[in-house]
Amino acid sequence: MSDRVAIVGVAQTRFSPKRADANVAELAYEVIEKVLNDTGLSIEKDIDNTISCSHDIWDGQTISNIGITDVAGGHLRTEEKMAMDGSTAAYYGTVGILSGEYDCTLLLAHTKMSQTNRHIVNNDAFEPIYSRQLGLDFTSAGALQARRYMHAHNLSREDTARVVMKNLGNAMANPLASRFGYYGMDDVLSAQMEADPLTTMDVAPDVDGAVAMIIASESKAKKITDAPVWIQGLGSCYDDYFLGDRDLADCMALKKAAALAYKMAGIKDPVKDLDVIELSDEFSYQELLWLEGLGVCKPGEGARLTESGFTSREGELPVNPSGGVLSGVPANVMGLNRVAEAALQLMGKAGERQVQNAKRAVAQGHTGFCGQHQCVIVLGNQ
């Protein structure tokens, strides 16, 4: 068994509204080739397991990983699939190495959102008798959660707009981002309404892209790189399926997932013990709510932290210095992208979006409507 697991390589495509030049297999090949070249590893000699993250409905075919099995090195070799979010692929791959079953695992997440319509895809996530017939999707469910959360803590649209302004400003330093810019309050508030209170600026855009990562056991990682990023803690939890069975102003699953990850990593106070957070802000309000779930602040205080600059790239605890999901990261990919961006920070390879002296980070991914399933991963470079 391996005592520790490390991230030894990361590769990402540029996220684009439409990659008409590449199908999903070509997107996968783009990042797999890069991460193998960067690490000097080969699938035949070094990789003993591949885990991909994709989704049948997004890809338009049953067993969606069948389209990338060859480029991921799965021919007559071990290859597994996770669905819905890449953070769970990182979780699952880490467990496989810790168990002693594998030594070096290739992780992959890919989606071409331009191929279909997100509202149709996400509507299928709801139970078929009642909720699906109402036409609910992740955006309309997110609007319900946003309204409930804002009402519970007397928050305004200006409070959520500041998240958009911060993250899209951060994305100006990220060459992979699809949406970026220095926006003012009026720009965000006057944008077209998607589902009240969420405008197009409050909702992550549809994009195409892929992320690849290689994780390895401690002994192998030290042979590959002088700057491994250690996976120090893991946690995951599901909340109730029916929206009506949950308090949407709370995030129970994230609190439990974070508690598990923090205990494993030995984190007592996330504000003092962490240097950067990369979380999945599929909608603007989620950054505020997820900060509560991650134990960074008390209920309703996330907006104040954002307004004060506490979570800015130059602040006490930078949140989404990459620009986050609001800057454009595909469904299924966004969780692995969060892990990748956190790892790049700890490797000192984040370029212009680098947080100085970052030693410990948290990456958070979620799946399902209103953050139904949560995954938290603690990373460190020491």
Side-chain angles (χ1 to χ4, degrees), residues 137-158:
D137 60 13
F138 286 11
T139 303
S140 56
L144 291 173
Q145 186 174 41
R147 183 61 70 192
R148 169 73 183 112
Y149 175 62
M150 293 165 70
H151 174 75
H153 301 294
N154 195 29
L155 302 180
S156 66
R157 287 188 59 211
E158 285 79 5

Side-chain angles (χ1 to χ4, degrees), residues 126-137:
F126 293 83
E127 57 82 23
I129 304 302
Y130 300 105
S131 304
R132 193 181 300 173
Q133 302 305 319
L134 293 173
L136 286 170
D137 60 13

Side-chain angles (χ1 to χ4, degrees), residues 22-305:
N23 59 32
V24 291
E26 290 166 330
L27 284 177
Y29 183 81
E30 185 177 320
V31 288
I32 292 172
E33 181 184 40
K34 185 177 188 307
V35 77
L36 291 174
N37 288 339
D38 288 349
T39 56
L41 302 177
S42 74
I43 287 180
E44 294 81 4
K45 296 179 180 179
D46 301 295
I47 306 297
D48 56 9
N49 185 31
T50 297
I51 300 173
S52 64
C53 179
S54 59
H55 193 280
D56 291 3
I57 305 177
W58 276 111
D59 279 14
Q61 64 177 10
T62 304
I63 316 176
S64 55
N65 57 321
I66 200 169
I68 53 89
T69 302
D70 51 349
V71 301
H75 179 63
L76 301 179
R77 296 166 56 86
T78 301
E79 185 269 336
E80 303 176 82
K81 170 193 166 183
M82 301 295 292
M84 293 296 290
D85 189 69
S87 61
T88 55
Y91 185 111
Y92 184 48
T94 301
V95 171
I97 294 176
L98 287 174
S99 73
E101 185 71 19
Y102 302 108
D103 198 39
C104 190
T105 296
L106 171 66
L107 306 176
L108 168 72
H110 70 269
T111 299
K112 291 194 69 177
M113 297 181 76
S114 65
Q115 291 184 150
T116 185
N117 182 298
R118 74 154 73 192
H119 304 293
I120 296 173
V121 172
N122 291 336
N123 177 248
D124 279 345
F126 293 83
E127 57 82 23
I129 304 302
Y130 300 105
S131 304
R132 193 181 300 173
Q133 302 305 319
L134 293 173
L136 286 170
D137 60 13
F138 286 11
T139 303
S140 56
L144 291 173
Q145 186 174 41
R147 183 61 70 192
R148 169 73 183 112
Y149 175 62
M150 293 165 70
H151 174 75
H153 301 294
N154 195 29
L155 302 180
S156 66
R157 287 188 59 211
E158 285 79 5
D159 291 321
T160 57
R162 291 187 186 94
V163 173
V164 179
M165 295 160 60
K166 173 182 71 73
N167 289 352
L168 297 190
N170 286 346
M172 289 289 289
N174 186 354
L176 306 178
S178 172
R179 184 169 68 172
F180 49 85
Y182 296 119
Y183 292 94
M185 183 67 71
D186 289 343
D187 296 322
V188 180
L189 297 182
S190 64
Q192 179 180 333
M193 189 64 69
E194 282 279 322
D196 193 11
L198 304 176
T199 72
T200 54
M201 297 289 285
D202 292 298
V203 180
D206 291 359
V207 292
D208 298 347
V211 174
M213 183 181 298
I214 295 177
I215 59 176
S217 64
E218 183 170 6
S219 59
K220 190 171 185 68
K222 290 180 177 179
K223 297 175 183 178
I224 298 171
T225 178
D226 294 329
V229 171
W230 303 104
I231 298 175
Q232 298 179 339
L234 302 165
S236 68
C237 183
Y238 267 106
D239 207 331
D240 290 326
Y241 180 48
F242 290 96
L243 283 178
D245 291 341
R246 297 165 54 186
D247 179 358
L248 297 183
D250 193 20
C251 48
M252 179 275 292
L254 178 53
K255 291 176 180 176
K256 291 196 172 185
L260 290 168
Y262 291 166
K263 182 178 180 180
M264 185 175 177
I267 288 180
K268 305 296 184 183
D269 184 342
V271 174
K272 294 180 180 179
D273 296 341
L274 298 174
D275 300 304
V276 63
I277 294 175
E278 283 285 350
L279 55 75
S280 294
D281 54 330
E282 190 175 5
F283 305 105
S284 59
Y285 75 89
Q286 287 182 339
E287 178 164 313
L288 307 179
L289 182 54
W290 297 166
L291 285 176
E292 297 176 15
L294 290 170
V296 173
C297 62
K298 295 179 180 179
E301 292 186 356
R304 180 182 58 81
L305 293 183

Side-chain angles (χ1 to χ4, degrees), residues 305-323:
L305 293 183
T306 303
E307 185 176 10
S308 70
F310 184 90
T311 59
S312 69
R313 191 162 59 227
E314 298 78 23
E316 186 174 341
L317 182 54
V319 177
N320 285 342
S322 66

